[in-house]
């Protein structure tokens, strides 16, 4: 079907190229307007469940299927010992994590922070699962290089929710905790790990600086600012009054 009319009804804007729609099947979806020169198009993915709408192994996610398999193994043998993910299973999980990543990038753009938290948490759970149960070392270590990035996005989304509630101190603490966790990650000998670790720490520092500028002053900080302004304008009577109020707060 020719989609020219659809493309012409949605002009491409680089800063506003993602939207939510309700599909004809009643399922909420994300659409992304794409303009790559000669190539014009619209990407579409489901807002919830698997981004591609598929149900691998008759489950919402492939990860759910393998977790269920692990539970069955435990029930039968009473231990995790002997449960392994072969290479094909890991490949399926790698593909699923990439699809989920592709969605939360766009979710972040439209400020769907709760869903960003959901999707980053799902990928972190998937990373841990593969690292714990993959049969081959190469598969176990394949996703470890992406920990700095997923931790950063997860924490940023959580901090943005806190900011929406005007809980600026909570937002800063979320970022500080994530920064500490990223710094303390076990090193992974991969260029992507070191690049993302550096980039993530810098991004979190920039976010703290931005939030510090947006955080409203508390009563003491407001008085201190007024005191500085009174002194600068040589309004010493007002400065003395403000200083007394500050001293009263400290006592």
């Amino acid at each position: 079907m020719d989609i020219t009319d659809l493309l012409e009804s949605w002009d491409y804007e680089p800063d506003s190229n993602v939207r939510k729609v309700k599909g004809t099947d009643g399922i909420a979806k994300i659409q992304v307007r794409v303009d790559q020169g000669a190539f014009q198009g619209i990407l579409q993915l489901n807002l919830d469940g698997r981004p591609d709408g598929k149900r691998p192994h008759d489950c919402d996610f492939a990860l759910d299927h393998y977790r269920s398999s692990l539970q069955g193994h435990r029930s039968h043998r009473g231990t995790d010992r002997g449960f392994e993910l072969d290479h094909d299973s890991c490949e399926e999980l790698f593909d699923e994590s990439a699809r989920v990543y592709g969605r939360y990038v766009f979710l972040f753009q439209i400020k769907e922070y709760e869903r960003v938290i959901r999707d980053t948490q799902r990928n972190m759970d998937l990373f841990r699962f593969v690292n714990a149960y993959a049969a081959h070392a190469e598969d176990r270590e394949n996703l470890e290089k992406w920990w700095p990035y997923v931790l950063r996005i997860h924490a940023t989304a959580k901090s943005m929710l806190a900011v929406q509630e005007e809980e600026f101190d909570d937002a800063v603490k979320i970022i500080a905790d994530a920064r500490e966790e990223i710094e303390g990650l076990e090193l992974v000998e991969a260029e992507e790990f070191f690049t993302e670790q550096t980039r993530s720490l810098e991004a979190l520092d920039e976010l703290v600086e931005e939030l510090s500028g947006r955080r409203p002053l508390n009563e003491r900080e407001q008085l201190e600012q007024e005191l500085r302004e009174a002194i600068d304008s040589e309004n010493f009577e007002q400065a003395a009054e403000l200083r007394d109020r500050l001293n009263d707060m400290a006592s």
Side-chain angles (χ1 to χ4, degrees):
M1 182 180 295
D2 189 346
I3 64 170
T4 299
D5 291 342
L6 184 58
L7 294 172
E8 289 181 349
S9 69
W10 184 7
D11 290 337
Y12 176 74
E13 295 289 343
D15 297 327
S16 182
N17 68 324
V18 183
R19 67 186 183 187
K20 291 192 295 183
V21 300
K22 187 173 183 179
T24 55
D25 55 5
I27 296 174
K29 305 176 189 298
I30 299 173
Q31 289 183 339
V32 184
R33 181 71 167 84
V34 179
D35 184 338
Q36 296 183 356
F39 173 65
Q40 301 278 318
I42 295 175
L43 305 177
Q44 181 170 287
L45 55 159
N46 283 5
L47 194 62
D48 300 305
R50 278 259 303 204
D52 55 11
K54 294 181 179 179
R55 287 180 52 82
H57 311 284
D58 201 30
C59 293
D60 289 339
F61 290 86
L63 177 61
D64 298 341
H65 163 71
Y66 290 109
R67 280 174 159 173
S68 179
S69 297
L70 173 61
Q71 290 298 327
H73 181 91
R74 284 174 177 164
S75 298
H76 180 66
R77 300 196 179 185
T79 178
D80 288 4
R81 190 176 303 162
F83 180 83
E84 290 184 334
L85 299 168
D86 62 21
H87 180 68
D88 288 343
S89 299
C90 290
E91 285 287 340
E92 183 179 14
L93 290 169
F94 298 157
D95 175 73
E96 182 165 278
S97 71
R99 293 172 188 270
V100 171
Y101 155 76
R103 177 170 61 192
Y104 68 68
V105 169
F106 296 126
L107 288 172
F108 196 92
Q109 188 173 333
I110 59 175
K111 301 181 180 180
E112 283 276 345
Y113 297 127
E114 290 184 350
R115 285 186 167 96
V116 173
I117 294 167
R118 173 203 66 192
D119 278 358
T120 49
Q121 184 62 60
R122 173 164 285 278
N123 264 2
M124 288 191 287
D125 292 344
L126 187 150
F127 289 8
R128 294 187 183 99
F129 190 80
V130 170
N131 185 257
Y133 297 109
H136 304 291
E138 183 177 355
D139 290 331
R140 286 197 300 273
E141 298 166 3
N142 186 47
L143 298 173
E144 297 301 288
K145 56 182 174 286
W146 302 116
W147 270 107
Y149 175 79
V150 72
L151 286 170
R152 186 237 302 184
I153 299 301
H154 185 75
T156 302
K158 289 179 69 176
S159 68
M160 289 298 98
L161 280 184
V163 168
Q164 288 179 354
E165 299 295 324
E166 298 188 355
E167 298 290 348
F168 287 87
D169 291 340
D170 288 349
V172 171
K173 185 179 187 308
I174 289 167
I175 296 166
D177 290 346
R179 196 185 194 288
E180 183 178 352
E181 188 171 1
I182 291 170
E183 281 189 309
L185 287 170
E186 184 175 345
L187 297 182
V188 177
E189 291 302 324
E191 182 180 351
E192 296 93 337
F193 175 86
F194 295 106
T195 298
E196 289 300 335
Q197 187 179 50
T198 300
R199 183 180 297 163
S200 293
L201 293 174
E202 291 174 351
L204 292 176
D205 288 343
E206 291 172 2
L207 182 56
V208 168
E209 185 175 347
E210 178 189 341
L211 294 182
S212 297
R214 292 169 58 185
R215 182 175 68 84
L217 301 177
N218 61 35
E219 183 180 2
R220 182 175 188 83
E221 291 168 337
Q222 183 66 40
L223 289 173
E224 289 172 341
Q225 179 175 300
E226 292 176 8
L227 175 58
R228 288 192 296 271
E229 292 172 353
I231 293 172
D232 290 343
S233 62
E234 297 185 358
N235 189 342
F236 299 115
E237 182 176 348
Q238 184 186 15
E241 179 184 342
L242 291 167
R243 191 175 289 112
D244 289 343
R245 290 173 64 184
L246 285 165
N247 290 335
D248 289 342
M249 291 179 68
S251 60

